[in-house]
Amino acid sequence: MPRLRVHNFTLSLDGYGAGPDQSVEEPLGAGGEQLHDWLFRTRGGKEMLGEPGGSTGVDNDYFRAGETDIGATIMGRNMFGPVRGSWNGSQWRGWWGDNPPFHHPVFVLTHHPQPPIEMEGGTVFHFVDGGIEAALEQAFSAAGGLDVRLGGGASTVRQYLRAGLVDELHLAVVPVLLGGGERLFDQLGGAIEGYGIVRFTGSDSVLHAQLARKPQQ
Amino acid sequence: MPRLRVHNFTLSLDGYGAGPDQSVEEPLGAGGEQLHDWLFRTRGGKEMLGEPGGSTGVDNDYFRAGETDIGATIMGRNMFGPVRGSWNGSQWRGWWGDNPPFHHPVFVLTHHPQPPIEMEGGTVFHFVDGGIEAALEQAFSAAGGLDVRLGGGASTVRQYLRAGLVDELHLAVVPVLLGGGERLFDQLGGAIEGYGIVRFTGSDSVLHAQLARKPQQ
């Protein structure tokens, strides 16, 4: 059965998925950009940027896993862009240029629907205002039997965790201290009791932890 | 110059140093005991319990580091015992039996002073009601040129961090999800900006991160 998977969700050592004071200039908040440095040191990450080289090994394996057997992506509106409220004719087409690295349908959660935006390379941004379950249903349908990847940000992942809809969650903890910002592990109620840690692999630069939903009793 | 050091302070993957609902029966809260399983798997941890065997390697090295060149310990009252408020003639002498594993003076932060308690093996519990700086001064004085170890719990460590008095902080992150409880990285204000991560070493069971105070500008 197709699954909803989170990959490469990166936390600072003090538990933040984004730093304080998120803004257009710093969409991941103060200091938040450094969370993802590890991704751009991997071979897969460099390929995504059209650059040569990069590390192979466990970090790269995790990067690649996030690209494998995924037929659609869901993300929160703040991950799509900095525009808030009504789109008001905004020409915003995402952070990723004309040919975004998805190459499949992407469902953006929003309270303000607008027509889909078709990009180069197979990525189409759809704007869904029916809630997280409706978005998931549309994404599974669009994925054609493949899995769906859940992007961020933290609040979007928390919503799906609280609803018990995430099947797998790969976390990367990096040696960064942000001192504040947006937590992933917050306001989850009892949802976390439904998950177990099935892999825990450290390197000198990243701790990888793989969470999976426990089998239903 | 003697330093104030925190060792083996263990956090769940979701960031808690103790689970929810701390009580006399579960002083580390629901599920909190499992945080420290890794310590009791090391050779040093087993020696402390008078048991043979145990792992050598990085986890054991970190355990041993916490025993090295320490002349006194500071801990919060909740780490010393479950008695709250006035001692009222309580015969409580700590969680550790007649011969506690400190073998040096231990300064317990409290609002309710009582006479020192002398244990076997060199441990003497002193009860300090003059605040964290007074306790630190007494501990440095008692340590006779060695370092002072800061135990827990989380709120005690946070107080010393906020005051900028911690020199080194070794954290262990373990593959446990507690879902709630007491955080270490909370309400620290800007204090964390004074610290950097100087070591980050993962194994399959523990991520070790060593924080150190940045040199004064």
Side-chain angles (χ1 to χ4, degrees), chain A residues 4 157 160-169 185 188 190-198 211-214, chain B residues 177:
Chain A
L4 180 62
V157 177
Y160 278 97
L161 280 172
R162 274 200 298 270
L165 294 170
V166 176
D167 293 294
E168 293 182 9
L169 170 59
F185 290 113
L188 289 178
I192 212 66
E193 291 168 23
Y195 291 85
I197 300 171
V198 295
L211 278 63
R213 190 158 54 178
K214 293 176 186 168
Chain B
L177 296 168

Side-chain angles (χ1 to χ4, degrees), chain A residues 13-14 16 171 173-179 183 185-186 189 192 195-197 200-207 209 211, chain B residues 11 13-14 16 171 173-179 183 185-186 189 192 195-197 200-207 209 211:
Chain A
L13 181 64
D14 48 351
Y16 299 103
L171 292 179
V173 179
V174 294
V176 168
L177 296 168
L178 290 177
R183 294 187 199 271
F185 290 113
D186 204 16
I192 212 66
Y195 291 85
I197 300 171
F200 191 85
T201 312
S203 75
D204 286 349
S205 52
V206 187
L207 165 74
L211 278 63
Chain B
L11 295 177
L13 181 64
D14 48 351
Y16 299 103
L171 291 179
V173 180
V174 294
V176 167
L177 296 168
L178 290 177
R183 295 186 199 273
F185 291 113
D186 204 16
I192 212 66
Y195 291 85
I197 298 172
F200 190 86
T201 312
S203 75
D204 287 349
S205 52
V206 187
L207 166 74
L211 278 62

Side-chain angles (χ1 to χ4, degrees), chain A residues 13, chain B residues 4-11 38-39 42 58-67 149-151 157 161 166-174 184-185 195-201 206-213:
Chain A
L13 181 64
Chain B
L4 180 63
R5 296 155 42 191
V6 179
H7 286 271
N8 304 321
F9 196 96
T10 306
L11 295 177
W38 73 273
L39 283 165
T42 65
V58 61
D59 296 350
N60 188 54
D61 292 345
Y62 270 104
F63 178 88
R64 300 279 196 199
E67 311 286 304
R149 179 165 170 173
L150 177 60
V157 177
L161 280 171
V166 175
D167 293 293
E168 293 182 9
L169 171 59
H170 161 231
L171 291 179
V173 180
V174 294
L184 176 66
F185 291 113
Y195 291 85
I197 298 172
V198 295
R199 280 185 73 185
F200 190 86
T201 312
V206 187
L207 166 74
H208 298 281
Q210 180 86 25
L211 278 62
R213 192 159 51 180

Side-chain angles (χ1 to χ4, degrees), chain B residues 15-215:
Chain B
Y16 299 103
D21 306 321
Q22 295 179 52
S23 64
V24 178
E25 293 74 28
E26 295 188 293
L28 285 166
E33 286 294 325
Q34 57 188 320
L35 291 175
H36 298 128
D37 285 350
W38 73 273
L39 283 165
F40 299 111
R41 287 194 302 262
T42 65
R43 177 158 303 196
K46 287 198 180 288
E47 264 175 27
M48 198 174 72
L49 299 175
E51 295 175 6
S55 68
T56 56
V58 61
D59 296 350
N60 188 54
D61 292 345
Y62 270 104
F63 178 88
R64 300 279 196 199
E67 311 286 304
T68 305
D69 297 330
I70 298 292
T73 291
I74 297 173
M75 64 176 64
R77 169 151 176 186
N78 296 357
M79 185 171 160
F80 175 68
V83 185
R84 299 290 177 270
S86 165
W87 299 96
N88 266 334
S90 160
Q91 297 302 307
W92 184 263
R93 294 155 66 86
W95 301 102
W96 302 274
D98 292 333
N99 188 350
F102 303 102
H103 313 296
H104 56 225
V106 175
F107 295 84
V108 179
L109 302 166
T110 174
H111 296 294
H112 302 272
Q114 64 172 345
I117 301 175
E118 191 164 343
M119 309 295 291
E120 294 173 20
T123 298
V124 180
F125 293 113
H126 299 270
F127 300 86
V128 185
D129 69 342
I132 63 171
E133 305 207 11
L136 185 57
E137 199 170 306
Q138 290 177 54
F140 273 135
S141 172
L146 294 176
D147 290 345
V148 171
R149 179 165 170 173
L150 177 60
S155 73
T156 299
V157 177
R158 282 202 308 269
Q159 285 180 62
Y160 278 96
L161 280 171
R162 273 201 299 269
L165 295 171
V166 175
D167 293 293
E168 293 182 9
L169 171 59
H170 161 231
L171 291 179
V173 180
V174 294
V176 167
L177 296 168
L178 290 177
E182 192 174 8
R183 295 186 199 273
L184 176 66
F185 291 113
D186 204 16
Q187 303 163 7
L188 288 177
I192 212 66
E193 291 167 24
Y195 291 85
I197 298 172
V198 295
R199 280 185 73 185
F200 190 86
T201 312
S203 75
D204 287 349
S205 52
V206 187
L207 166 74
H208 298 281
Q210 180 86 25
L211 278 62
R213 192 159 51 180
K214 294 176 186 167

